[in-house]
Amino acid sequence: MAIQSSNEAIRGRIKLAVLCFVLLFAFLAWHLYGVQVVRHEELFEKAKRQYTTVKTSKTKRGEIFDASGNLLVGNTPCENITVDPTIVPAKQEQAMAAMLANHLKLDYREVLRKLNTKFREVKDEKTGQTTKRAIRYAVIARNVPHDVALKIREADKRLNLTGLFFEETYMREYPKSRLLSNVLGFTNMEHDKIIAVMGVEKFYNQEMQAVSGKIIYERALDGNVLPYGNSTEIAGRDGLNVYLTIHEPIQAILEEELDKVMQEWKPNAAYAVMADPRTGNIMAMAQRPSFDPNDRSSLKPEAYRIRIIEDTFEPGSVMKPLAISGALDCGLITPDTIFDCEKGRWVYLNRPLSDSSRLGLVPVREIVKKSSNIGTAKIGLMMGEDRLNATLHRFGLGERTGLPLKPESTGIFVDANPRRDKLAVTRYPIGYGVGVTPVQMVRAYCALANYGNLRELRLVDRVENPETGEVIHNPLLQPRVVFNNPNTWHQIVDMMVGVTAKDGTGRRAGIPGYRVAGKSGTSRKFVNGRYDSGKYYASFTGFVPADDAAFVLMVVVDEPHGSSYFGGTVSAPVFKAIAERTLRYLDIKPDPALLEETKK
């Protein structure tokens, strides 16, 4: 009986052992299935990260040029310096940190922290579990100049360091400093990604954006490429280059003269825009205040905005040629039609309107030359709301110009309507109650300069693929015809030439040897629900030569401080200075006969 009991005990132990073995085998089989099948992809990716490296081949963001190919925004070669903390030996950490901090002018403790931080905690969103993941890539410094990077490379070899890497890259460069800065815009770097912030940089970001190439290769523990390992290469491409319609020498002239305005008149702001009326091409455009995109450490909001397309202002008398040309085109008036300018004071609907000149019965040409508010308002009344509204709409008021800059204002233009404002038909023609941007008014004057044909403004001429040489041109659209009567253009231009004559309100814009057509404007600023008698916009807009205009130019000075606030005194001389220098640059000679007349 004892032997039988003993045998049964042995058999029991064997069964238990077999059961344990079966359970263990089943557990191992289940575990292997989970590892080999269920978690295969996850574990494979983890393992692959341990022995594969991705090297990025840097490509260049597209560059920006002026119409002649002068570089306005480019890329400077430089290097990013990075480390793989997991392969930096502990005994080298302090030496490496000291060397890097010394050459890069960085905080030693911060560099050392990056070197000895080998892992980071990662939380699984599904399970909620936290695991440690090796840090294989840490940036020590970006956009390091080549000469500094070379010294670090030499120190790296001399000290026989491990885990230090150099990535060739490019840094955005603005070689002309402040020149055209508000229009060009700038970019920032956020987490290895280029972010276009404003201007042409932002509008054409998709076209100029480069696609980086990648090389994925297997490496040894020391970081070196395994000669027998697998590698995959993904080709990158450079961004497209953008060519503007801007002429850099003329842009420089414009900005130099605006700097003089800021110094002489101490205004809040100043703008100048020049365009070719035959094509709508913007030749130059600038504003003050502005900024240097290479150093934005003290960038202020007032310098940041693209005021030329955002800011609206009541243009004052600059509006008069537009309205009067509409009356001429309708056949309601001629340059010799007589109006009573009421000796400088007129009351309409219990609201007074005054002139600086005490004119009586005078022809339309004198109304334009002497800038009579009363005479122009009466012409507006003769036109009526429908004709006036149609005229101003044809000149593009209330519409965006479509320039590749954002945000662009539409201006403020609500059709004159007696049920809304019975005074509007007398105020719109003299430039009150209507808000325009500088570029809108330049576009309108391009129609006056281009025989009544309104071109859409263009800032970008073409886009080029630097790798293939393929060029995509920005099409020149058909112009909008503003005038129905072919005589209208000659009549309004002749009257505008009178403005810059010796006895005209814009005589300071006159240039010896040239017929200059233009109009000055002085308008009170609307502040806190009323017109402020101490704050003004002073402007002058015109074109030269009047009969075959090489350019249209507008100058606006916002709140000049000094002995005057009139457009004919403040802005007209700036127009003349810019126009004279531009005519010399374009080699447009003066008319000898006109020069002789000037001497008389």
Side-chain angles (χ1 to χ4, degrees), residues 95-147:
M96 184 183 289
M99 182 272 290
L100 291 171
N102 178 52
H103 285 292
L104 297 170
K105 307 296 187 256
L106 299 175
D107 182 71
Y108 165 78
R109 289 168 297 182
E110 179 61 22
V111 177
L112 184 61
R113 184 191 64 79
K114 289 184 178 182
L115 296 179
N116 57 36
T117 304
K118 314 289 185 181
F119 299 92
R120 62 187 175 93
E121 292 187 345
V122 179
K123 188 175 183 179
D124 191 306
E125 294 182 358
K126 293 181 180 179
T127 64
Q129 293 181 337
T130 301
T131 58
K132 286 187 175 181
R133 179 172 294 178
I135 298 176
R136 308 301 309 281
Y137 181 88
V139 177
I140 301 298
R142 299 186 190 277
N143 301 332
V144 178
H146 273 315
D147 57 338

Side-chain angles (χ1 to χ4, degrees), residues 126-422:
K126 293 181 180 179
T127 64
Q129 293 181 337
T130 301
T131 58
K132 286 187 175 181
R133 179 172 294 178
I135 298 176
R136 308 301 309 281
Y137 181 88
V139 177
I140 301 298
R142 299 186 190 277
N143 301 332
V144 178
H146 273 315
D147 57 338
V148 176
L150 180 61
K151 292 178 181 179
I152 295 174
R153 286 179 187 273
E154 292 171 351
D156 181 37
K157 290 181 181 178
R158 186 174 63 253
L159 298 172
N160 195 27
L161 300 174
T162 302
L164 191 60
F165 298 94
F166 300 82
E167 297 176 352
E168 292 187 358
T169 186
Y170 296 93
M171 179 175 63
R172 208 61 166 160
E173 179 190 23
Y174 302 86
K176 309 300 179 181
S177 186
R178 287 199 310 171
L179 192 82
L180 200 66
S181 59
N182 297 86
V183 173
L184 295 173
F186 59 87
T187 62
N188 284 332
M189 287 293 296
E190 292 183 12
H191 306 295
D192 291 331
K193 185 178 181 181
I194 295 176
I195 305 297
V197 178
M198 63 174 288
V200 175
E201 286 271 35
K202 184 173 183 179
F203 196 94
Y204 277 86
N205 181 54
Q206 187 172 351
E207 288 82 358
M208 289 193 289
Q209 206 166 42
V211 177
S212 298
K214 291 182 180 180
I215 302 175
I216 305 170
Y217 61 89
E218 296 180 357
R219 62 167 184 81
L221 289 176
D222 60 2
N224 292 321
V225 180
L226 290 172
Y228 52 82
N230 295 322
S231 64
T232 304
E233 184 172 353
I234 302 172
R237 65 162 180 80
D238 290 339
L240 304 182
N241 294 331
V242 175
Y243 286 79
L244 305 182
T245 58
I246 297 290
H247 294 261
E248 184 193 329
I250 300 176
Q251 181 71 30
I253 291 170
L254 214 69
E255 301 212 19
E256 287 170 12
E257 296 301 331
L258 280 188
D259 286 336
K260 293 177 185 177
V261 168
M262 298 298 289
Q263 185 174 0
E264 180 178 0
W265 294 100
K266 306 293 188 297
N268 289 347
Y271 325 94
V273 183
M274 181 185 290
D276 180 346
R278 293 161 292 195
T279 61
N281 288 347
I282 298 291
M283 301 165 68
M285 60 194 304
Q287 67 181 58
R288 291 292 183 266
S290 62
F291 64 94
D292 182 353
N294 295 307
D295 180 13
R296 302 191 293 276
S297 57
S298 57
L299 180 59
K300 297 179 180 178
E302 58 266 28
Y304 175 88
R305 293 188 303 106
I306 313 176
R307 291 169 173 262
I308 308 169
I309 65 164
E310 288 186 53
D311 285 5
T312 61
F313 69 102
E314 291 177 291
S317 297
V318 172
M319 181 74 78
K320 291 174 181 175
L322 307 187
I324 292 173
S325 71
L328 290 168
D329 200 50
C330 293
L332 296 174
I333 61 171
T334 72
D336 298 315
T337 302
I338 302 297
F339 284 87
D340 186 357
C341 293
E342 311 284 348
K343 298 296 182 182
R345 182 172 175 81
W346 178 56
V347 178
Y348 177 71
L349 298 177
N350 297 319
R351 296 292 295 274
L353 189 63
S354 61
D355 282 336
S356 56
S357 299
R358 297 181 178 275
L359 302 175
L361 296 171
V362 294
V364 172
R365 66 177 75 255
E366 196 71 10
I367 289 172
V368 175
K369 178 185 283 190
K370 298 298 185 181
S371 195
S372 169
N373 292 327
I374 296 169
T376 307
K378 288 187 174 184
I379 292 172
L381 271 175
M382 179 182 286
M383 292 177 73
E385 293 85 10
D386 291 343
R387 288 194 184 99
L388 178 62
N389 294 334
T391 295
L392 299 184
H393 276 301
R394 284 199 298 272
F395 278 107
L397 269 64
E399 301 174 10
R400 294 184 177 89
T401 65
L403 287 174
L405 300 168
K406 289 184 177 181
E408 182 182 3
S409 173
T410 59
I412 302 169
F413 177 50
V414 180
D415 287 358
N417 186 327
R419 286 176 296 181
R420 183 184 61 84
D421 183 359
K422 294 180 180 180

Side-chain angles (χ1 to χ4, degrees), residues 1 11 32 35 55 61 66 72 92-93 135 137 139 228 239 307 321 378 400 473-474 510 512 514 526 533 583:
M1 289 294 293
R11 282 195 297 269
L32 288 172
V35 170
K55 183 178 180 181
R61 181 175 173 82
D66 82 338
L72 300 176
Q92 291 187 0
E93 288 176 355
I135 298 176
Y137 181 88
V139 177
Y228 52 82
R307 291 169 173 262
K378 288 187 174 184
R400 294 184 177 89
H473 288 274
N474 184 17
Y514 300 89
F526 196 74
S533 60
L583 289 166

Side-chain angles (χ1 to χ4, degrees), residues 533-555:
S533 60
K535 296 181 179 181
Y536 294 86
Y537 287 106
S539 62
F540 190 92
T541 309
F543 45 94
V544 59
D547 303 309
D548 185 18
F551 55 82
V552 169
L553 172 62
M554 181 175 203
V555 177

